[in-house]
């Protein structure tokens, strides 16, 4: 559902962000909790949000950007409803996760890590999911899929597309 009050909604989110900052302001180590809460609010951490945090907390923007880009739980880009993480760690890669990643890119019409035009899927490569015994592994949100072959990918993606259509 698209919001018909984009500016008003943006203002409401900014007000919520200011409340988040105020709640944590002055506390030691407050930046990480503020970033987590801000990402929960916006779904990601766009530059404009980082600027507000910088100004309100009196922390240089470069420092905030450094934290956001250092920790993998933070994102600079909007994520899809279904976030797909492909393990490219050693165990998974040796068992073919590179081919799984290529098949996912093809299936989702992406050239690399990113989000599909419809906002349904995000694709992200990572170094370890922690399920090496099931290699090669992907995660879609909290669902783990292991012992995959490229031929498994179209059916898995179809399952999530069908959810969107209520099937």
């Amino acid at each position: 559902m698209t919001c018909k009050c984009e500016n008003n909604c943006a203002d409401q989110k900014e007000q919520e962000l200011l409340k988040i900052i105020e709640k944590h302001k002055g506390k030691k180590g407050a930046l990480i909790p503020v970033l987590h809460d801000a990402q929960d609010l916006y779904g990601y951490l766009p530059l404009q949000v980082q600027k507000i945090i910088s100004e309100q907390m009196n922390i240089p923007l470069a420092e905030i950007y450094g934290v956001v880009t250092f920790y993998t739980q933070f994102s600079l880009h909007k994520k899809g409803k279904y976030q797909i993480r492909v393990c490219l760690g050693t165990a998974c890669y040796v068992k073919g996760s590179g081919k799984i990643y290529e098949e996912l890119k093809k299936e989702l019409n992406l050239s690399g890590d990113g989000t599909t035009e419809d906002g349904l899927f995000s694709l992200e490569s990572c170094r370890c999911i922690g399920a090496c015994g099931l290699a090669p592994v992907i995660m879609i949100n909290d669902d783990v899929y292991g012992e995959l072959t490229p031929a498994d990918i179209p059916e898995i993606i179809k399952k999530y597309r069908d959810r969107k259509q209520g099937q």
Side-chain angles (χ1 to χ4, degrees):
M1 184 172 190
T2 305
C3 181
K4 294 178 180 167
C5 59
E6 279 188 36
N7 286 338
N8 190 29
C9 289
D11 291 343
Q12 286 177 330
K13 278 191 176 181
E14 188 171 321
Q15 291 304 313
E16 288 181 52
L17 176 61
L18 293 172
K19 287 178 189 172
I20 289 167
I21 294 167
E22 193 58 39
K23 180 175 97 176
H24 295 284
K25 207 172 190 177
K27 295 178 185 172
K28 186 174 181 171
L31 180 58
I32 298 289
V34 167
L35 291 172
H36 277 291
D37 290 351
Q39 184 163 278
D40 287 345
L41 178 62
Y42 287 89
Y44 67 117
L45 294 168
L47 187 58
Q48 184 57 37
V49 169
Q50 293 176 59
K51 285 179 181 177
I52 293 168
I53 294 169
S54 171
E55 292 165 5
Q56 294 297 313
M57 295 185 72
N58 200 26
I59 298 172
L61 182 58
E63 183 178 331
I64 291 171
Y65 183 80
V67 170
V68 169
T69 57
F70 179 79
Y71 292 104
T72 58
Q73 70 264 33
F74 297 126
S75 177
L76 295 170
H77 308 285
K78 245 183 187 168
K79 300 281 185 171
K81 179 177 181 178
Y82 300 113
Q83 297 175 31
I84 303 170
R85 293 181 13 178
V86 182
C87 180
L88 294 178
T90 304
C92 286
Y93 195 80
V94 167
K95 293 204 171 184
S97 65
K99 292 177 183 171
I100 301 293
Y101 182 69
E102 291 302 316
E103 185 64 27
L104 280 161
K105 289 190 320 186
K106 184 175 110 184
E107 189 69 28
L108 299 172
N109 195 29
L110 293 170
S111 59
D113 286 6
T115 302
T116 57
E117 283 187 30
D118 63 4
L120 195 58
F121 296 98
S122 291
L123 179 63
E124 177 183 335
S125 58
C126 65
R127 293 293 158 230
C128 189
I129 288 175
C132 302
L134 297 174
V137 177
I138 67 170
M139 282 185 74
I140 302 179
N141 294 350
D142 293 328
D143 300 333
V144 177
Y145 296 88
E147 300 178 343
L148 296 171
T149 68
D152 297 323
I153 298 306
E155 189 60 35
I156 291 170
I157 296 302
K158 181 183 182 314
K159 180 172 103 173
Y160 289 90
R161 282 192 174 124
D162 288 349
R163 284 184 187 176
K164 177 188 175 201
Q165 296 167 359
Q167 298 177 354

